[in-house]
Amino acid sequence: QLVINITAVFVGGYVARTLGVQDYGKFVFAFSFVQTFTLISNMGIHVVQVREIAKDKENAAEFFGSTLMFRVFFASITYGLIVLTITMLDYPHITKQIVYIAGISLIFTYIGDSCTAAFKAYEKMQFMALINIIMTLVSMFLRVTVLYMGYKLLALSWTMAVISILSASVPYIVL
């Protein structure tokens, strides 16, 4: 974990240096803007899901499905609010595009969080640790590769969305 954290610092520096001040600022703003909306789609569901699945493992699949649908519903509402809010604000078109893409990442992050909660309920933390390490390494590799290939802000943002989709899919497949 220490090696990953140290590597992440260098990757973050590479991303900032490659994008430049303005584009990096837009990138960070977009993901920070989206992050401010997380309370709406999260609402403490993770803790409840872990507790309820751990308490009643026989009905875990049913509860998992219900919770997943609940998360998708609230993440969709949140995405709508993100789009509505950023559209009404006076930001450049590219900034709005990055926010839209970052919002897509948010939806998949919350879908993946349902799987994380299920792993915790079954006390299978070793799977989550391994998945997190692998996905972090893949994420760093993809970000560096996209920027090294000469792509910039928009491509990096889409890369982050793809990473979110992968991060949500891998635990679901393993589960």
Side-chain angles (χ1 to χ4, degrees):
Q1 188 65 35
L2 178 63
V3 172
I4 288 176
N5 288 342
I6 292 170
T7 306
V9 169
F10 287 106
V11 170
Y14 179 75
V15 169
R17 192 156 176 84
T18 304
L19 286 180
V21 174
Q22 283 191 329
D23 281 351
Y24 187 69
K26 290 173 187 172
F27 180 77
V28 170
F29 167 78
F31 282 88
S32 298
F33 182 84
V34 166
Q35 196 64 33
T36 61
F37 288 83
T38 59
L39 287 175
I40 298 168
S41 58
N42 192 4
M43 297 175 41
I45 298 169
H46 184 84
V47 174
V48 173
Q49 185 180 8
V50 171
R51 184 185 67 226
E52 293 302 315
I53 290 175
K55 187 168 51 175
D56 184 11
K57 290 187 172 111
E58 289 180 18
N59 294 316
E62 182 180 324
F63 192 77
F64 175 80
S66 298
T67 308
L68 183 62
M69 296 313 296
F70 189 74
R71 283 178 186 267
V72 169
F73 175 73
F74 276 105
S76 299
I77 289 172
T78 303
Y79 185 73
L81 288 172
I82 290 168
V83 168
L84 181 67
T85 304
I86 197 67
T87 301
M88 292 185 336
L89 297 173
D90 188 29
Y91 284 101
H93 181 69
I94 186 71
T95 303
K96 291 179 182 182
Q97 283 182 307
I98 305 305
V99 169
Y100 301 150
I101 296 166
I104 292 169
S105 297
L106 174 76
I107 292 172
F108 286 98
T109 298
Y110 284 112
I111 290 171
D113 196 45
S114 282
C115 296
T116 302
F119 278 114
K120 286 180 182 177
Y122 281 101
E123 300 177 13
K124 301 291 184 188
M125 276 43 136
Q126 68 275 17
F127 291 119
M128 283 315 307
L130 183 61
I131 290 169
N132 284 338
I133 290 169
I134 291 169
M135 291 313 302
T136 301
L137 292 172
V138 168
S139 171
M140 288 189 286
F141 174 77
L142 289 176
R143 284 183 281 165
V144 168
T145 302
V146 164
L147 292 174
Y148 183 77
M149 291 174 63
Y151 296 105
K152 295 292 179 186
L153 181 60
L154 206 53
L156 181 63
S157 300
W158 277 113
T159 301
M160 296 302 289
V162 168
I163 291 166
S164 266
I165 293 168
L166 289 173
S167 293
S169 302
V170 170
Y172 184 75
I173 292 167
V174 172
L175 187 65

